[in-house]
Each structure stands twice: as C-alpha cells, then as structure tokens.
Amino acid sequence: MFDGEPALSSAVFLSEDGSLLTGQRAWQAAVAQPERFIPAPRRSVEQQVPVAGGEVEALDLVAATLRRVAEEAHRAVGFPIEDVRLVVPAGWGPRRRTWMRHAAHRAGLPQPRLVEAPVAVAGYLLASGVQLPVGSFIVVCDVGGGVEVSVLRRGPAGFEVLATLADPDAGGAAVDRALTAALTGDEAGPGVDEGARWALTASVQTAKHALTDHAAVTVPLPGGPVAVVNGQMLEQAARPILQRTAQLTTEAIAAAEVDPASIAGVYCAGGAVQMPLVEKVLTENVGIAPVVVAEPGLAAARGAAETGAAGPGGDVTVVEPPPVPPVRRAVAIAAPGFASLGLVSQFLLTAEWNGGFLRPWTVLNWGELAMAAVFAVIASLAAGTVIASAIATRSRAGDPISPGGQVGTGILASASLGVAVAGMYAVVGSLYIGADVSPFLRWALLPVVPIVAVAAVMALVAARQWRTPRGGWSELLAFPTGSVVTGAVGMALIQYSLVADRWPDIVLWIDIAGRVGGLLLGVGVVMAVVSPLLLRVILAAPLGVITAAIVSRPASGILGVIYGIAVALWWIRQLWTRIVRPDRQPVRPT
C-alpha cells in the first residue's frame, strides 16, 4: 500500500533541496509550488525535463518512483529484491525499453525483466482459470492514464501480440480533463492558478472513482461553491473519449487481420475501466461485450509476476514452469560428453601412419574430430543451467546476480568451456600426431562457431530477461539425445570401416559396417533438423541412402561437416521457435 492506496501515482515533486517526493506527497506539495510538480514523467520524451526554471533528468524522476516501490517491497518482505518485472506497453520500441531498464538501474534495482502489458494481463487470465485454448484470439484493452488496445493469439509457448494501437490522450487522464472542463467551464478553470488546478484535478479523480459506488458526489471548486457530480455528468464527459477506445479496438482487430467472430473475448484492464460506461460503449461500438478482469488495476502486475488471482484467504497461486527431470538432464549432458570423448579417442588411436621412419605422415578422419568438437560444445551447453546454479551459489556471498543474469552467464561460461575443450582436442591431437596444429584447430573450432554465436544470442536474451522459453532454459539447451547417439555410432562405424584390417573373409562385413554408419549418420542429421516424427521417417530414408553411398576416406570430412551444419540449424531453430517466435510449437528433446 502507498499512502493508503494499492497503487502509486507516477507524479513526482522536486523539492528546493533537490529531494524528490512521490505519490500523494507530490500531489499535496504541488498546491503550494506547482512549478516543481511533474504529473507524468514517464511520458517525457526528452532526456531533460524543465522544472522550476531549471532542468532535471527524466530518468531520475522515474527512478524515484521505482525506488519507493522497492523500499516498500523490502519493508514488506524483509529482504532485498532479487527479481524485478516491469510492465511496459506493447507498442514500446527498443529505445523506450532500454530507457526503462536504465531507470530501474538508477533506482538500485537488479536487471529487470520487461513484460508487455497485454501479455501480462493474458497470463493473469490463465492463472485465474479463464479457458483460452491454444490458437484462440483475444483483445486486451488497457485503459489507464492512456489507452492501449492489443490483439493477441495464444500459441503453444505463450501469447503473441499480433497488433497493438495506443492513444495517450484517450484514457483516464483525458476523462479527468473533460470532467474538470464540465465543472468549471474551461479545462484549466477560469481564474484558477496552477496550484489550485492540481488540487482540483486531484478532487476530480477522487470523485470519478467514487461514482463507481455512489450516485453523486461533491467536488470543492477553487474560489467557488461546491459542485455536485453525478453519473450523467461523468458519462457526458467520458463518452467521446471512450468512443476513441472503441475505435482503437476495431482498428486493432482489423490490423491483426482477425475475423471478429473468432475473437474469444475482449478483456479490459487498467484503473479507468471501473467506470460502467466502458463496457457499454465497447459493446455498442465493437459489437462484442467486454469483460472487466478482476482487480483491473493489479491484473498486469499479477500476470507479470506469474501469479494467479488472490483467493478468499488472500492466498496467491504461483505458476511455476515444469521442472526438467534430473535423469533426462543427466542424459542430455552425459550422452554428448561420452560421445565426444569416444570419437576423439578413436580419431587419435586409429590414425594411419605412412611413409618411412624419417618422414612419416598420417591419414586422419577430420570429420570425426569435427563431430567430437561439436559434441563437446553440446554437452557443455546442456550443463549451462547447472553452471548457472553454481554461479548463483558463489554470488550469495557477494553482489547478487539476477536470475536472468545467472542463466546468461551460465550459457556464456558453458559455451566458452565447450570451445576450450574443442581447442584442447586440437592441441593434444597435434602433439600426439606430431603435425602442424593449424588443420587441427580448423576442423575443431570452425564447426562450432555457428553454435557458439547462437548461444551468445541466447545468453543475451536470458541476461536481459526479454523472454523465458517455455519449459525453462534447461529444456531449451538439451540437444536431442537420439541424434547424438545415432550420429556418434554412425561416425564410429565409418571410421572402423576406413581403418580396419581388410582380411578377405571380413571385407564384406567391413564395407557393410561403413554403409550402416553412413546411414545412421544421415538419420542423426534428420533427427537434428526435423522435429515431427512422420517427417523424420520420410526424410531419413533418402538422406540415409545418400550418406551411406558417399562413405569413403575423402568424404569422411564432408560427412562430419554435414552433421555439424545440422546441429547449427537445430540451435538456430531453437532460437527462432522458442524465443524469437514462441507462438510456434516448441521442439522437445528426444
């Protein structure tokens, strides 16, 4: 609670001593010194805001409000805030979002996760028990100080904003100005100084909220008698403004190219939707009866915090992501790890030596080294969340790291570990064979470059907390075990067929082993690139036949590169379907 209210006004007052007052304290101080009052600093597009003949940075004004929120939260729970979620308009671009992150940092908060307001409201609806099937469309009308209308589609991994339209001058603040004009005959009030105008605005806001439960209320007018405000006056002042909200709703549905008949519901949130006229105007102009969500002023906050609606006893249901089974996590780490060690060992121990004693030279399966390096990176990335947990444990004694920062750092650390292991394979191989290290480094490091690049992007997403993939980061980082085993066995059989002693009675079996290895390698490629089972079956046969047909010593490197490309494509697909476009069906490890 802030000054007895569940919401904190964003208004800020700059005192003469340079301190900043927030909320109701700012409104009260505005009466005496209105030139030091900033009612909506977040709407300031300039970096410097003129105040009392000087200038103050807008970031400081917003940070003052965020700092007070953090102080109240700390006082309520008794320990420092570790996870921060900030609700922002869906229409905000990267510049405004970065600006808000800087404000949170200036307020002393950890790196925040930004949650789009309509997505937060939709998450709150799900947690409250509203049935929204996958593939359904909804409209979220956020009517606060301004208006933002968004059309969303629920996908398998979450909600996607299809279209959003906003008007900062069509919400509750505009209704306040219109009602003030109706009471005084002029929007600013004739003969009313700036301080009295802010006092009148505060009284009008209180009267507007009181009319939700009362037929009429009184409003003291500066330098005049007390005015009586009833529902009819409020409706006359608000109807033109709310018609703009209805217009935005119609235009947003059209912009999303969605049939209005397929809309599952229109849901209204925000402090201003408590006016009964909101439902009436939207029904008349849009043709769909809207639903005002429970606790409309808190719905977005609860949705961003991933909590359900408060029950009769005040209990809150927390929606946790499904945990990754420990056995599956261990297999996702162990399978590529053992495959990497097995392949690099076979690569070194089965090298064919040629030439004399003075000038020996070797024939190597470079494709096997490439696959060993790729598997090393895969195993390291699968252990990324484990590394993140170790980082979190280490940080408890020092500066706290946000959960997103832990995951991002863990992913970068695991990718670096995988690259280091691949580099170690190259150096050890060069020393063991006694040859120049350049080709070893080329075949060990180049195949893992695309994977590491995608991992870096994922680390940035996790650290910035732009989006958390469905099922958590552990599931996202787990490469399909079936592809690992199939590809590793295939390459091992190919290498066996290339270096085995070709005795006349087993030559046929050696050749068959090589062809089977090529077939398995082709199947492993398909399992990495394609997810649907039917499509895997269709593609595995022709690709397996092709890879089996080209098995030979010159083509061994090509086969390893083909598998490395398939792995890189899998990671790119993970980035696209689970983070960039999470509305698509997520790919589950097999």
Side-chain angles (χ1 to χ4, degrees), residues 123-124 127-128 299 301-309 316-319:
Y124 174 78
S128 302
R302 290 193 184 279
E306 299 176 352
T307 61
V316 173
T317 303
V318 180
V319 181

Side-chain angles (χ1 to χ4, degrees), residues 163-182:
T164 183
L165 295 175
D167 189 342
D169 297 319
V175 174
D176 295 338
R177 292 193 296 268
L179 187 55
T180 300

Side-chain angles (χ1 to χ4, degrees), residues 17 52 64 142 158 189-190 197 204 209 233 244-245 259 268 341 343 352 357 366 387 415 428 456 478 565:
D17 60 358
D142 190 347
R197 184 172 74 87
V204 168
H209 294 305
M233 293 182 60
R244 172 58 178 160
T245 301
D259 183 2
C268 298
L341 292 174
L343 290 181
E352 288 193 86
F357 175 75
W366 295 112
I387 297 175
V428 171
I565 294 174

